[in-house]
Amino acid sequence: MVKPDGVQRGLVGEVIGRIERRGLKIVALRLNTISPEQAKKHYAEHVQKPFFKSLIDFITSGPSVSMVVEGKNSVSVMRAINGATNPVNAATGSIRGDLALDTGRNIVHASDSPESAVREINIHFSDSEISEYTRIDETWVYE
Ligand code: IDP
Ligand code: MG
């Protein structure tokens, strides 16, 4: 997900470009303002945290871009593309390490496990919105 700060800062293309160039395949994509209900489900694991309310207010404050991406080791690769949660600790070369300074404005979200991915995809997409296709470069990306 490109969070509202990424959309406002004009970084949608930058984020999507990094994902595409890495070789991951975008199979679903939408720009919209997510509802508080969706946001609370999405961040349910953080309901007890002191930053929960500000996180929900922020993530629902304007349009964000939700995506489903597929590929070999896609969860760990996506997390590395994004970088550490706190941009101070995010590696240079990652989205957060190159483009962000504050934990509460860290531009992107990515699921932290295949199980979380399934759960989160179901919050944001219906099955019919997810496309199955072969990318023309797959034989050059995968051995
Ligand atoms: P992640 O996005 O790297 O998976 P999580 O720990 O799952 O990080 O936290 C979800 C989001 O909540 C973070 O991306 C960040 O925007 C926000 N967040 C996490 N910890 C803090 C904090 O201590 N203060 C403010 N916001 C936080
Ligand atoms: Mg998380």
Side-chain angles (χ1 to χ4, degrees):
M1 175 186 286
V2 186
K3 297 182 188 180
D5 52 335
V7 175
Q8 288 297 330
R9 291 178 57 196
L11 295 173
V12 172
E14 172 74 34
V15 171
I16 292 176
R18 288 174 181 228
I19 295 167
E20 285 188 304
R21 291 199 301 274
R22 186 66 183 264
L24 293 172
K25 177 164 65 182
I26 296 167
V27 297
L29 179 73
R30 181 195 300 114
L31 181 144
N32 73 332
T33 301
I34 67 169
S35 68
E37 293 69 35
Q38 280 177 302
K40 285 176 197 159
K41 278 194 216 164
H42 178 99
Y43 280 127
E45 64 176 310
H46 298 305
V47 67
Q48 304 294 352
K49 305 274 173 64
F51 58 82
F52 184 71
K53 187 185 178 313
S54 65
L55 179 59
I56 299 304
D57 288 347
F58 172 65
I59 207 76
T60 59
S61 67
S64 54
V65 174
S66 303
M67 274 174 272
V68 181
V69 309
E70 272 180 15
K72 191 174 182 181
N73 300 310
S74 55
V75 167
S76 39
V77 170
M78 234 1 282
R79 297 280 295 182
I81 289 172
N82 285 0
T85 304
N86 184 340
V88 175
N89 304 320
T92 297
S94 67
I95 291 167
R96 290 163 171 172
D98 289 348
L99 304 167
L101 290 171
D102 212 356
T103 302
R105 296 290 183 273
N106 60 7
I107 307 176
V108 277
H109 165 82
S111 309
D112 62 12
S113 68
E115 296 71 30
S116 304
V118 170
R119 194 185 72 80
E120 292 171 12
I121 288 166
N122 281 320
I123 295 168
H124 298 285
F125 293 98
S126 60
D127 286 352
S128 65
E129 292 174 302
I130 300 173
S131 295
E132 211 173 297
Y133 67 101
T134 304
R135 230 170 80 164
I136 198 165
D137 61 0
E138 280 178 24
T139 50
W140 300 97
V141 171
Y142 295 109
E143 186 176 12

